[in-house]
Amino acid sequence: MRKDATRTGLAAACALWLMILALVFAPPAAAAPPPGDGAPLLLGNDVSWPQCNKALPKGAAFGIVGVNNGLANTTNPCLKEQLAWAGTTAGLTGQPQVALYVNTANPGTAGSWWPTNDKYPAGTAVHNPYGPCRAGDVGAACSYMYGYAKAYDDANIRGVRDPAGYLWWLDVETGNSWSSSDKTANRAVLEGMTEFFHSIEADVGIYSTGYQWGQIVGTVSSTSNLYTLPSWLAGARTASGAKANCSNAPLTAGGKVTLTQVVSRGFDYDYSCI
């Protein structure tokens, strides 16, 4: 009995020490990243108007900056400063050292501006694959022109120098205004934005979650210019979860997941899948 008790006690003690060691030396990628310190894990950060006049992340592997002030027709008041911050990041992954993201929406005639023809800026004709946009139309034709116009504004009036030199991510979230009954019109907005950015030879990607994308856009056919765009997936809760999400389905069947996001300790962290 004494020998058995001794062996049992030693086994319990060893098990306890193994548990302690496992906690102390657990891989950092399985937990939240240190606050503002993404470089050791090759994590980037994205920032925008909510971070105005606040300390920005330190040690980021790359930076992504929001161009708008929460709505598709606004400008981030801290864009210049945040672009300067992004330019100091390490550039350690296959992602661009600095990329941009823009808010997207389909407000229809309830918005502060809605197109009435196929010219933008005024006098410049735009080829519209959905046919002519006419006053009062909230279908695909005018939605396409709305997206094209917002992308033009993002590139030309927000204060972005050399817009062709950036990867532009289209931020697609249910928090912004979208048609609840016409996913084709919603898709057309994003196609119009993509067409403009491609016209200046800039790269384009899509940011969303699978659920939100399904609610707003739905399935994208191979004939759409969205079909092969890379996906940036939100929704992870840990850095290891963000890494695992690289294996998730892209937002479009012809695309590829190249970036994922995890929110931790007040920062948006981004894991490069490439």
Side-chain angles (χ1 to χ4, degrees):
M1 291 291 293
R2 288 182 180 177
K3 289 183 179 180
D4 290 342
T6 300
R7 289 172 182 165
T8 301
L10 288 172
C14 289
L16 178 60
W17 275 108
L18 287 172
M19 289 175 63
I20 293 172
L21 290 172
L23 290 172
V24 172
F25 296 104
D37 190 14
L41 301 178
L42 298 183
L43 294 172
N45 291 99
D46 61 271
V47 300
S48 190
W49 60 272
Q51 287 75 44
C52 278
N53 304 315
K54 296 180 181 179
L56 296 176
K58 297 180 180 179
F62 54 91
I64 308 173
V65 179
V67 171
N68 307 114
N69 195 34
L71 297 175
N73 60 348
T74 59
T75 302
N76 174 5
C78 298
L79 179 60
K80 182 179 179 180
E81 295 83 357
Q82 292 178 354
L83 282 173
W85 161 82
T88 68
T89 59
L92 296 174
T93 73
Q95 299 296 327
Q97 181 188 16
V98 183
L100 304 173
Y101 78 85
V102 294
N103 291 115
T104 65
N106 182 18
T109 54
S112 60
W113 175 85
W114 188 250
T116 59
N117 54 52
D118 294 319
K119 296 181 179 181
Y120 200 88
T124 303
V126 176
H127 171 69
N128 193 330
Y130 290 97
C133 166
R134 296 188 174 94
D137 174 23
V138 294
C142 287
S143 296
Y144 182 91
M145 283 305 302
Y146 179 81
Y148 187 97
K150 293 305 102 181
Y152 177 95
D153 291 349
D154 288 332
N156 289 285
I157 70 171
R158 309 279 178 222
V160 177
R161 293 185 178 181
D162 187 27
Y166 290 99
L167 165 59
W168 294 77
W169 291 100
L170 309 182
D171 183 347
V172 184
E173 300 186 55
T174 54
N176 283 330
S177 300
W178 297 98
S179 173
S180 60
S181 60
D182 193 346
K183 291 182 180 180
T184 299
N186 292 340
R187 185 180 72 243
V189 169
L190 304 176
E191 290 172 339
M193 298 187 80
T194 298
E195 175 57 30
F196 173 78
F197 287 130
H198 281 173
S199 76
I200 63 171
E201 299 185 352
D203 293 326
V204 185
I206 308 164
Y207 167 94
S208 194
T209 64
Y211 173 79
Q212 292 182 98
W213 183 258
Q215 291 294 304
I216 296 168
V217 180
T219 301
V220 173
S221 75
S222 59
T223 59
S224 170
N225 60 7
L226 306 177
Y227 187 71
T228 59
L229 297 185
S231 295
W232 173 12
L233 298 183
R237 297 184 178 182
T238 64
S240 60
K243 181 179 180 179
N245 283 352
C246 291
S247 300
N248 286 358
L251 299 169
T252 59
K256 179 181 179 181
V257 179
T258 62
L259 194 62
T260 60
Q261 184 189 68
V262 56
V263 179
S264 175
R265 299 173 182 173
F267 290 107
D268 289 352
Y269 288 89
D270 303 298
Y271 182 87
S272 176
C273 304
I274 56 175

